[in-house]
């Protein structure tokens, strides 16, 4: 059974996934993102300027807010902030646009190698997700070493949604 744990689009509530395969193998791992918090782990001043190329994207708030109450309801990933709709605070760029390409990594034009060497893995968002999920969850496209998992034999996956601090 192949599965991945992905925060590529962002996150809302903390969670954990317990994985058990009837045959032991090292790729059958549980993932604990119970400490993931949309207020403390969501960057409020993320540099999405593609190494200064787009200065207006130097300090971007990734917190997703409910439009009427302005309450924080989630955390955008860098790609989702750049490409999401304006209703919840997205900026509306196309994934292949110059502004978003190296954070969304659509193939083509961005190869997996270019993506892994680009600005996305260096963001605070990615570092925070990796820390909160103990390096066992995708935080950007092509974050395969962290997000891809597989259990052998009969497999049970149990997901627990934890109550958030908000």
């Amino acid at each position: 059974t192949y599965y991945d744990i992905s925060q590529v689009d962002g996150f809302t509530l903390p969670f954990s996934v317990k994985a058990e395969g009837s045959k032991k193998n090292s790729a059958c791992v549980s993932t604990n993102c119970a400490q993931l918090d949309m207020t403390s782990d969501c960057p409020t001043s993320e540099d999405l300027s593609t190494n200064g190329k787009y200065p207006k994207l130097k300090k971007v708030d990734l917190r997703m807010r409910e439009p009427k109450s302005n309450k924080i309801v989630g955390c955008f990933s860098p790609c989702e902030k750049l490409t999401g709709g304006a209703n919840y605070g997205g900026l509306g760029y196309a994934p292949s646009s110059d502004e978003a390409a190296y954070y969304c990594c659509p193939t083509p034009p961005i190869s997996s190698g270019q993506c892994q060497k680009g600005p996305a893995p260096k963001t605070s968002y990615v570092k925070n997700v990796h820390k909160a999920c103990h390096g066992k969850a995708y935080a950007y496209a092509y974050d395969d070493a962290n997000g891809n998992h597989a259990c052998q034999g009969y497999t049970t996956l149990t997901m627990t949604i934890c109550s958030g601090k908000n």
Side-chain angles (χ1 to χ4, degrees):
T1 300
Y2 292 94
Y3 62 102
D4 65 58
I5 306 298
S6 177
Q7 307 304 290
V8 170
D9 294 325
F11 60 85
T12 52
L13 294 173
F15 67 95
S16 65
V17 176
K18 183 179 179 184
E20 296 177 286
S22 61
K23 296 180 182 177
K24 298 285 183 195
N25 67 302
S26 61
C28 185
V29 298
S30 296
T31 303
N32 184 350
C33 296
Q35 299 302 311
L36 194 61
D37 180 59
M38 67 180 148
T39 53
S40 62
D41 291 325
C42 192
T44 59
S45 186
E46 186 74 87
D47 182 357
L48 302 181
S49 69
T50 313
N51 301 321
K53 190 173 180 181
Y54 303 100
K56 66 182 176 186
L57 299 174
K58 181 78 174 163
K59 294 183 178 181
V60 177
D61 187 349
L62 296 183
R63 295 174 297 178
M64 178 186 290
R65 296 180 178 274
E66 197 282 323
K68 291 184 180 173
S69 70
N70 205 33
K71 181 181 177 187
I72 298 169
V73 294
C75 182
F76 285 108
S77 69
C79 174
E80 190 62 26
K81 176 67 177 189
L82 291 167
T83 62
N87 285 352
Y88 284 86
L91 300 175
Y93 295 105
S96 60
S97 69
D98 290 343
E99 293 86 351
Y102 280 94
Y103 298 96
C104 299
C105 302
T107 303
I110 308 300
S111 71
S112 61
Q114 288 174 308
C115 183
Q116 291 166 336
K117 292 177 184 171
K122 299 173 185 96
T123 61
S124 295
Y125 175 86
V126 168
K127 291 174 186 173
N128 292 348
V129 168
H130 285 173
K131 181 179 177 186
C133 298
H134 310 281
K136 294 182 181 172
Y138 271 96
Y140 69 96
Y142 299 109
D143 196 8
D144 299 338
N146 292 300
N148 281 337
H149 309 294
C151 293
Q152 293 179 351
Y154 177 78
T155 302
T156 301
L157 298 172
T158 305
M159 183 170 193
T160 303
I161 307 291
C162 309
S163 62
K165 296 177 186 176
N166 295 333

